[in-house]
């Protein structure tokens, strides 16, 4: 029998993994009793239900693969660059300040799409930096570090 | 007349020059983002939340609410003129609204959508004023068991009413609840699921989850597809609907308002469901159902009214019970908490100027919306020509700075990137994020009430059925689960949701 990797199958696998992970990680917390629950009691319930839901979906989608479609394409390029842009922002905002972080955010996120000229990009970077500094630092008086020094 | 006293207090608050300005700013911004595809009210509120920290709580709530119902309204403009729903709740308006626009009747379609929205908005708000106080009084008597069962019911409702199977929806709800576990356990003081990270001691912030799940993942998907837009601007000539249009529309408007109001009150059900239900009803009641899909004005009037009525009555469980009826409502509750106000039935009595000021502002805001929208429709449509490559960096910049400023925490921004990845996977697997976000929010509250209820009953689970109210909530939840197993009901639901 050929295994059909449908959306429902993958969702089930993901849910099952999260459920099992919750059970395993929750092992270290005290269970307590129903009348006096410890921090591990509720996570154990959630993890168990989650694992069962995942299992149900995996079994059901294996038996009825026609009920769900497969994922046709993944937007790897936008995904990688958008997430990288946000992550780099988080690394820069405290050490290098707002201006560097925003410039990096706009430049990296630009790589996610393919359109637009270099001149437009320069205008975007300038505009975004001015908006960010103008609104958050001067408009709202949020004490953000501006420059790297 | 207590109600009149309350309302006069409310209008006193809402009509102050500053609050009028906040209300105007809110509906203006709401319409703007409602028109822009790919930028929803949830993302906007998540991103702009930090901007409202400095405002007084009344002003902040009035503005955020304005963004919310303004967006519900603005979404219809793009649905009619571009066949592109600005919001998912406007998807059904596309069907007949766009057809009307192609027949040169864009004006009447927009006008009917506006009239329907205002009528529904005003009636919905009236319901909040009437239903809120008695419901709040009942809710004050709720114990831990009742709260547990009510929130469990809300989770099941939202799981059952999304696209796809109930099991999948429940998976998302429980998944959200699991992510809500992270952080310090309030009862024992033990850190759970923090992986030793200091940034997680307080758990994931809601703004982090919402921005990642909705803003970042949607940008990725939007960049993958090219948005083709065929704008029918040139055809908005005569706004006035004819006498026949009005005659055909007033009943659908009232029926849509009714459906929307009821569905909006149920926690966990959405505006989208309300608009689809109204469309299905109008087609069923019509003498000539074949007209639907070819520019039937009833197909615009009913769903638009239902959508807006639900948007308003969502505030009922949110404000009176402290239970968010949708992800956007959850954000508004988060905003309340940031201002030091604990959501729940006591808000009405302890902060009457906030509650009634908000209610009064909604009437004012709904009137502002008509004035803003109809004459300026050309202006709004011109925003559609803004290329997405200018928009998404702006969303990113506001999101990242917004997330950072909530707790001045750089790790929050990194967590948001993680939720962006998770949200993207969910989108690709057709997993609806709405139950996830509700589970994330309600999870900790469910755990707290579950533990307290069983502590009080010394571990006896009968406590959840011996209280009549709790038993009713649980019966509804399990009844709904059983109903979804019936193939016929499931088919009908799928059909109703897929028709858009």
């Amino acid at each position: 029998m050929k295994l059909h990797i449908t959306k429902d199958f993958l969702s089930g696998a993901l849910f099952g993994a999260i459920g099992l992970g919750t059970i395993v990680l929750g092992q270290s917390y005290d269970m307590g009793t129903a009348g006096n629950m410890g921090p591990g009691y509720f996570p154990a319930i959630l993890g168990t239900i989650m694992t069962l839901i995942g299992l149900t979906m995996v079994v059901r989608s294996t038996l009825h693969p026609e009920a769900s479609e497969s994922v046709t394409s993944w937007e790897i390029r936008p995904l990688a660059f958008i997430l990288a842009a946000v992550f780099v922002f988080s690394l820069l905002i405290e050490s290098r300040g707002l201006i560097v972080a925003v410039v990096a955010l706009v430049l990296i996120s630009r790589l996610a799409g393919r359109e637009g000229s270099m001149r437009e990009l320069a205008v975007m970077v300038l505009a975004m930096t001015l908006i960010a500094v103008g609104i958050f630092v001067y408009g709202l008086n949020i004490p953000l570090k501006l420059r790297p020094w | 007349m207590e109600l009149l006293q309350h309302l006069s207090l409310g209008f006193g608050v809402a009509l102050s020059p500053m609050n009028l300005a906040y209300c105007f700013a809110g509906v203006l911004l709401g319409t703007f983002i409602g028109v822009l595809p790919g930028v929803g009210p949830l993302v906007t509120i998540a991103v702009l939340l930090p901007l409202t920290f400095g405002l007084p709580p009344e002003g902040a709530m009035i503005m955020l609410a304005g963004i919310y119902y303004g967006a519900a309204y603005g979404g219809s403009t793009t649905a009619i003129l571009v066949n592109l729903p600005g919001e998912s709740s406007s998807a059904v308006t596309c069907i007949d609204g766009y057809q009307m626009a192609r027949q040169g009747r864009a004006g009447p379609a927009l006008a009917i959508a506006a009239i329907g929205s205002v009528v529904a908005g005003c009636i919905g708000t009236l319901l909040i004023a009437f239903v809120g106080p008695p419901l709040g009084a009942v809710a004050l008597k709720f114990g831990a068991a009742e709260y547990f069962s009510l929130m469990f019911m809300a989770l099941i409702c939202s799981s059952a009413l999304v696209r796809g199977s109930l099991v999948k929806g429940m998976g998302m709800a429980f998944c959200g609840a699991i992510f809500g576990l992270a952080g310090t356990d309030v009862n024992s003081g033990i850190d759970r699921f923090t992986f030793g990270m200091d940034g997680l001691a307080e758990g994931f912030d809601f703004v982090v989850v919402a921005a990642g799940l909705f803003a970042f993942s949607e940008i990725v998907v939007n960049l993958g597809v090219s948005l083709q837009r065929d704008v029918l601007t040139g055809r908005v000539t005569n706004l006035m609907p004819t006498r026949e249009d009005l005659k055909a529309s007033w009943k659908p408007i009232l029926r849509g308002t009714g459906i929307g109001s009821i569905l909006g009150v149920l926690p966990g059900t959405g505006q989208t469901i309300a608009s689809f239900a109204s469309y299905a009803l109008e087609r069923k009641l019509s003498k000539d159902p074949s007209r639907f899909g070819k520019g039937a004005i009833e197909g615009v009037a009913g769903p638009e009214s239902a959508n807006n009525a639900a948007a308003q009555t969502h505030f009922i469980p949110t404000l009176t019970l402290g239970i968010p009826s949708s992800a956007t409502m959850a954000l508004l509750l988060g905003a309340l908490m940031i201002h030091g106000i604990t959501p729940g039935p006591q808000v009405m009595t302890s902060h009457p100027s906030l509650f009634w000021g908000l209610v009064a502002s909604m009437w004012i805001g709904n009137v502002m919306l008509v004035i803003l929208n109809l004459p300026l429709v050309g202006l709004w449509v011109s925003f559609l020509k803004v290329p997405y490559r200018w928009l998404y960096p702006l969303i990113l910049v506001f999101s990242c700075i917004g997330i950072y400023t909530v707790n001045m925490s750089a790790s929050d921004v990194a967590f948001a990137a993680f939720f962006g990845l998770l949200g993207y996977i969910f989108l690709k697997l057709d997993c609806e994020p709405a139950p996830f976000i509700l589970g994330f929010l309600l999870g900790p509250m469910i755990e707290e009430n579950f533990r307290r209820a069983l502590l009080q009953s010394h571990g006896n689970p009968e406590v959840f059925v011996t209280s009549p109210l709790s038993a009713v909530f649980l019966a509804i939840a399990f009844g709904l689960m059983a109903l979804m197993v019936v193939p016929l009901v499931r088919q009908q639901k799928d059909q109703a949701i897929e028709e858009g």
Side-chain angles (χ1 to χ4, degrees), chain A residues 117-135:
Chain A
S117 62
M118 286 307 283
R119 204 173 128 227
E120 197 186 281
L121 181 60
V123 175
M124 282 299 291
V125 170
L126 193 67
M128 290 302 152
T129 316
L130 288 177
I131 290 173
V133 174
I135 292 183

Side-chain angles (χ1 to χ4, degrees), chain A residues 7-8 11 22 29 34-35 37 39 42 46 50 60 73-75 83 90 94 109 115 120 140 142 144, chain B residues 51 165 168 171 174-175 178 185 192-193 389-390 392 396 404 408 410 417 424 428 430 447 451 454-455 459:
Chain A
K7 288 177 179 175
D8 279 0
S11 314
T22 311
Y29 311 124
M37 278 176 224
F42 195 68
L46 285 186
M50 193 67 185
R60 213 159 64 170
S73 67
W74 299 86
E75 287 89 2
L83 297 186
S90 79
E94 277 174 357
S109 71
E115 295 167 6
E120 197 186 281
L140 294 163
I142 295 171
L144 292 167
Chain B
L51 304 190
S165 64
K168 204 170 184 177
F174 278 93
C175 196
I178 285 176
D185 171 39
R192 292 190 300 186
F193 304 98
R389 63 175 191 275
W390 295 1
Y392 79 84
L396 281 175
Y404 176 69
M408 287 294 171
Y424 175 74
K428 293 311 275 188
D430 287 344
E447 175 177 14
R451 280 164 90 162
L454 285 173
L455 189 68

